[in-house]
Amino acid sequence: AQSVTQPDIHITVSEGASLELRCNYSYGATPYLFWYVQSPGQGLQLLLKYFSGDTLVQGIKGFEAEFKRSQSSFNLRKPSVHWSDAAEYFCAVAPSGAGSYQLTFGKGTKLSVIP
Amino acid sequence: ETGVTQSPTHLIKTRGQQVTLRCSSQSGHNTVSWYQQALGQGPQFIFQYYREEENGRGNFPPRFSGLQFPNYSSELNVNALELDDSALYLCASSVDGNTIYFGEGSWLTVV
C-alpha cells in the first residue's frame, strides 16, 4: 500500500528566510505527486503537482518542488517565506493513470513564520 | 474559489444518530470523492463516485455511504455515529483528473 511520510511535524522560520518541507513516499511505481496547503479552518488548496516530465515543478505563490525518484522524495521549497505562508502543508500521492483520484496524504507539516 | 460548496459548515450530532453532508460541484465535474480529516491528521480517502457509481473506497465501514446526482451534487451519509467520527469532512471534485478541487469542508462533532 502506498504511504506518505512528512518527517517534520512543525517548522518555524523567519520571514524572508528560505523554506524546505520534506516529503517521502512509498509506492510500487512512480505515482502522481501533489502539495496542498490548508489554512486554519479551511479546505485544501493545490500548490503544485507532478505527473511526468521535468522533475522541478513550479507552483503558485512562489513554491516549487523537486521529484527525486532515487530518493522517493518530493520536497517543497520556497526561496523567501512571507508571513501569509503560515499554514499546514500536506504532501499527497495518487496512482498514476486515468481516473486516479484517490489521494493518500501525509500527516502534514505546520509552518509558523516569525516576523 | 474552487467551485465546490459544502453544507453544513458545522454541525453537532449525538452518538448513534445519522448525518448527511452535502457537496455541490462545478458543472461537468463527473468525479467526486470524500475525505475524512481528523484533528491533527491528514485527510483520509473515504470513497469516490464517477457518473453516479461508486468506483473506489478506502478503509471505511459500510455505515459510510454516498450518493452522486446528475446535477453534480453529492452526499455523504454516516449511520450509527461514533465519537471517533468527529472530523472535518472534505468533498473533492474533478473533471479530468489533473486538478482536484476541494471544498472548505463540513465540521462534524459527535457527542
Side-chain angles (χ1 to χ4, degrees):
Chain A
Q2 61 247 42
S3 66
V4 178
T5 302
Q6 294 181 246
D8 304 305
I9 297 174
H10 190 185
I11 286 182
T12 301
V13 301
S14 298
E15 192 169 16
S18 63
L19 171 70
E20 181 170 30
L21 302 182
R22 296 182 291 165
C23 172
N24 292 95
Y25 66 89
S26 174
Y27 193 69
T30 299
Y32 292 163
L33 297 157
F34 307 82
W35 274 99
Y36 284 86
V37 61
Q38 186 177 40
S39 297
Q42 301 295 311
L44 298 167
Q45 182 181 23
L46 178 67
L47 288 175
L48 46 77
K49 60 192 177 191
Y50 173 79
F51 284 6
S52 65
D54 191 347
T55 57
L56 185 62
V57 180
Q58 301 297 320
I60 62 171
K61 304 184 179 185
F63 286 93
E64 66 177 26
E66 185 172 13
F67 168 59
K68 292 186 177 180
R69 186 190 309 273
S70 61
Q71 299 177 20
S72 296
S73 69
F74 189 56
N75 294 347
L76 181 71
R77 300 193 294 249
K78 187 170 184 178
S80 177
V81 170
H82 188 264
W83 65 266
S84 61
D85 293 325
E88 186 118 30
Y89 291 79
F90 293 95
C91 180
V93 302
S96 57
S100 301
Y101 311 110
Q102 179 175 338
L103 296 171
T104 299
F105 286 86
K107 292 189 176 182
T109 298
K110 182 178 180 180
L111 174 65
S112 297
V113 180
I114 300 173
Chain B
E1 179 60 47
T2 65
V4 180
T5 305
Q6 293 188 240
S7 62
T9 54
H10 295 81
L11 71 166
I12 300 173
K13 289 288 189 177
T14 303
R15 189 172 47 184
Q17 284 188 317
Q18 179 266 344
V19 68
T20 297
L21 306 178
R22 294 179 173 82
C23 174
S24 176
S25 307
Q26 291 186 48
S27 177
H29 282 208
N30 52 17
T31 301
V32 67
S33 50
W34 286 87
Y35 290 80
Q36 180 196 66
Q37 185 178 15
L39 203 60
Q41 301 294 315
Q44 289 195 9
F45 175 77
I46 302 175
F47 47 56
Q48 173 181 294
Y49 279 77
Y50 175 69
R51 294 185 177 178
E52 303 167 46
E53 296 282 336
E54 182 180 306
N55 72 339
R57 190 174 186 92
N59 189 27
F60 281 81
R63 59 189 186 85
F64 285 78
S65 63
L67 287 171
Q68 185 186 24
F69 303 101
N71 65 352
Y72 307 107
S73 66
S74 63
E75 289 180 353
L76 164 65
N77 299 289
V78 187
N79 294 323
L81 283 167
E82 301 176 359
L83 297 179
D84 285 349
D85 295 333
S86 296
L88 176 67
Y89 288 86
L90 295 163
C91 170
S93 71
S94 175
V95 65
D96 55 10
N98 287 338
T99 302
I100 302 169
Y101 298 91
F102 280 85
E104 294 195 352
S106 293
W107 286 97
L108 171 64
T109 301
V110 182
V111 298

